[in-house]
Amino acid sequence: MKVIADLCVIPLGVGLSVSAYVAECERVLVEAGLTHKLHAYGTNIEGEWDVVMAAVKACHERVHTMGAERISTSLKLGTRLDRDQSLQDKIDSVRSKLD
């Protein structure tokens, strides 16, 4: 089953800047071969359910190995069975209504 996810991983107790931790999670997503798009407060991801969930777990593992003792994560998931829909399809649908 395909899923579109919005992931926000927040390491706690590591100081004010978390960009190095976010960058490491982006590396995980690249290594997993997932289509993804970073935005100001997280990352949109699309792919097969099991691959996306494994990547979320790997993000946590990597951030912990970087020294974060605690992580707070927000994860929103969307699935649909009636048709395939990519991240770009969703954006294009909204933009088409702005014209």
Side-chain angles (χ1 to χ4, degrees), residues 18-87:
V18 297
S19 59
Y21 302 91
V22 172
E24 193 60 33
C25 284
E26 290 293 305
R27 285 186 194 96
V28 167
L29 299 175
V30 169
E31 291 166 8
L34 290 165
T35 299
H36 62 285
K37 183 167 178 68
L38 180 68
H39 58 86
Y41 284 99
T43 303
N44 292 136
I45 308 164
E46 69 178 77
E48 289 297 323
W49 180 278
D50 291 339
V51 178
V52 172
M53 293 304 122
V56 170
K57 179 181 179 184
C59 284
H60 270 251
E61 291 170 341
R62 295 265 188 101
V63 170
H64 280 307
T65 63
M66 292 174 71
E69 293 290 323
R70 293 182 68 192
I71 301 168
S72 177
T73 293
S74 297
L75 180 61
K76 293 188 283 185
L77 303 169
T79 59
R80 62 185 303 166
L81 299 176
D82 59 325
R83 65 184 176 110
D84 282 337
Q85 186 178 42
S86 70
L87 292 171

